[in-house]
Amino acid sequence: MDFNMKKLASDAGIFFTRAVQFTEEKFGQAEKTELDAHFENLLARADSTKNWTEKILRQTEVLLQPNPSARVEEFLYEKLDRKVPSRVTNGELLAQYMAEAASELGPTTPYGKTLIKVAEAEKRLGAAERDFIHTASINFLTPLRNFLEGDWKTISKERRLLQNRRLDLDACKARLKKAKAAEAKATLWNDEVDKAEQELRVAQTEFDRQAEVTRLLLEGISSTHVNHLRCLHEFVESQTTYYAQCYRHMLDLQKQLGRFPGTFVGTTEPASPPLSSTSPTTTAATMPVGPSGAGLAPPGEAALRLEEVAPPASGTRKARVLYDYEAADSSELALLADELITVYSLPGMDPDWLIGERGNKKGKVPVTYLELLS
């Protein structure tokens, strides 16, 4: 009991001393030990990493689950360490309504048949969305949360300890300064000076040790950036896969609807050209956006005969196929993902298309389905 009381009294005394030192520093009545510029830069970098990680995490959660009530429910399940129940996606729910509508309005009518086809496509879109959310949550959101709930909490704890060690050190410096001033006035040796110097040495040692521990943790932020960079690449890859699946499902649906009599199908020409990334070694399409028309020649001119087409003496390139492609007619070349083909362009060709050759077969191929190799 006595030991505990003494410890409580000691802790209270240390807390009071730190509070006094902190207050006097705020009013400019006490000196403060400053950290070196490199250390301050590490602190600022860590704070910036934490703040932006929180913002990116929260907005990605909104992107994957726009419903705030559903996000709160998922958060509570995670905190309770329970599995989040499976939730029907909006696309799957729409597919269910369309299928029920077709059944009631007549599945053999043009409208009913179209409802069924669209429902099947929406169901596939919903399944693709579910896979994307699951993959993004594991590969992107989870590492961000682990940093905020693990590494950052450790860093924050060690920073608080460093702050306390710094306050103790400066309080010891102030006591030594006062002891030396009292000794000078008394013109005799003061035992308080020896005691203050000993306390200062201990405080300096503890401060230096804690500063080194904190510095190592702050320098580990670089490793955090590398890890988050890898996760960001995986997020982009999963998002690209998701949108590519959506595009293929809708393209298939559009082709199916085109076979139905009395069904209006819009043009497959995109409103804007696809974005592509270009590097010194490869040119890869990020999304397989449908090319405009099937033009080997400008409007008003006769299409070139494929059997008369010969590859140019120079200008042929190898290309890797990014996605499966079903030829729309005999002038096009069907493609399989990951296969290598030879491609080249001809004067007057639509820039969205190339001539592709595989063995003794040749035909037009859409550029957005290819990764051009150097």
Side-chain angles (χ1 to χ4, degrees):
M1 182 67 70
D2 291 341
F3 174 78
N4 291 335
M5 292 298 294
K6 289 180 180 179
K7 187 176 186 304
L8 289 174
S10 175
D11 291 344
I14 293 174
F15 177 81
F16 178 76
T17 301
R18 290 171 179 169
V20 170
Q21 177 66 29
F22 182 80
T23 303
E24 290 180 348
E25 289 176 359
K26 288 298 181 182
F27 286 100
Q29 299 173 354
E31 296 181 0
K32 176 182 177 180
T33 299
E34 299 292 345
L35 300 169
D36 60 75
H38 176 62
F39 204 105
E40 291 289 354
N41 288 336
L42 290 176
L43 289 173
R45 186 165 176 248
D47 288 335
S48 181
T49 299
K50 179 256 186 183
N51 292 335
W52 283 112
T53 299
E54 283 183 332
K55 291 181 180 180
I56 292 172
L57 172 65
R58 298 292 172 257
Q59 193 56 39
T60 306
E61 289 175 337
V62 172
L63 172 69
L64 299 180
Q65 178 50 266
N67 188 334
S69 299
R71 291 200 303 273
V72 172
E73 180 183 348
E74 292 174 358
F75 174 78
L76 293 176
Y77 272 100
E78 289 178 3
K79 289 302 179 183
L80 296 173
D81 198 20
R82 296 177 59 183
K83 184 178 179 180
V84 179
S86 178
R87 183 180 287 106
V88 177
T89 65
N90 292 328
E92 291 171 325
L93 187 59
L94 177 59
Q96 178 183 336
Y97 290 164
M98 287 184 170
E100 292 174 357
S103 177
E104 185 171 332
L105 299 177
T108 59
T109 65
Y111 182 42
K113 290 180 179 179
T114 303
L115 278 173
I116 292 174
K117 289 298 181 182
V118 176
E120 292 172 352
E122 292 296 337
K123 186 175 181 180
R124 288 194 291 269
L125 291 175
E129 180 185 3
R130 184 193 303 277
D131 291 341
F132 166 58
I133 293 174
H134 178 71
T135 303
S137 297
I138 293 177
N139 295 339
F140 190 59
L141 293 184
T142 298
L144 298 187
R145 289 197 191 100
N146 289 342
F147 166 71
L148 294 173
E149 297 174 2
D151 294 350
W152 182 252
K153 286 187 176 181
T154 301
I155 291 174
S156 299
K157 175 184 175 183
E158 297 301 331
R159 287 176 67 173
R160 288 192 296 269
L161 287 175
L162 178 63
Q163 171 74 347
N164 290 337
R165 295 289 182 263
R166 203 268 308 158
L167 290 171
D168 293 342
L169 174 63
D170 289 335
C172 288
K173 289 180 179 179
R175 282 197 296 270
L176 177 60
K177 187 176 181 180
K178 292 178 181 179
K180 287 185 175 180
E183 179 189 40
K185 290 181 180 179
T187 65
L188 51 85
W189 184 257
N190 191 340
D191 291 340
E192 289 299 321
V193 175
D194 289 340
K195 181 180 178 182
E197 289 179 342
Q198 176 62 26
E199 290 176 348
L200 178 59
R201 285 192 292 270
V202 173
Q204 185 70 57
T205 300
E206 292 180 348
F207 172 77
D208 292 341
R209 183 185 300 115
Q210 185 60 39
E212 183 61 25
V213 171
T214 308
R215 184 192 301 273
L216 291 174
L217 288 173
L218 293 174
E219 289 175 346
I221 290 293
S222 296
S223 299
T224 298
H225 287 185
V226 172
N227 182 43
H228 288 183
L229 174 62
R230 177 183 58 80
C231 296
L232 185 59
H233 277 283
E234 292 179 353
F235 174 69
V236 172
E237 183 66 26
S238 63
Q239 198 170 30
T240 302
T241 300
Y242 166 59
Y243 286 122
Q245 289 175 338
C246 292
Y247 172 80
R248 288 198 296 271
H249 293 327
M250 295 310 297
L251 190 63
D252 290 343
L253 173 63
Q254 201 171 40
K255 290 180 179 179
Q256 292 178 44
L257 296 185
R259 303 191 189 105
F260 286 8
T263 303
F264 171 78
V265 182
T267 177
T268 59
E269 183 173 355
S272 60
L275 299 175
S276 61
S277 57
T278 305
S279 67
T281 56
T282 64
T283 303
T286 57
M287 278 292 299
V289 180
S292 58
L296 275 175
E301 295 184 16
L304 297 177
R305 294 177 175 272
L306 286 177
E307 60 272 13
E308 298 176 358
V309 170
S314 61
T316 62
R317 299 177 66 177
K318 289 292 185 181
R320 183 175 70 87
V321 178
L322 297 174
Y323 314 98
D324 292 346
Y325 178 73
E326 181 181 350
D329 54 48
S330 59
S331 69
E332 297 180 5
L333 181 66
L335 302 173
L336 294 176
D338 294 327
E339 69 175 337
L340 292 178
I341 62 174
T342 300
V343 295
Y344 51 89
S345 179
L346 295 175
M349 280 191 67
D350 188 313
D352 288 334
W353 295 81
L354 292 172
I355 298 296
E357 291 190 2
R358 181 182 59 242
N360 59 354
K361 295 182 179 180
K362 69 172 65 174
K364 297 175 296 183
V365 293
V367 174
T368 50
Y369 280 66
L370 305 174
E371 176 185 0
L372 301 180
L373 307 177
S374 60

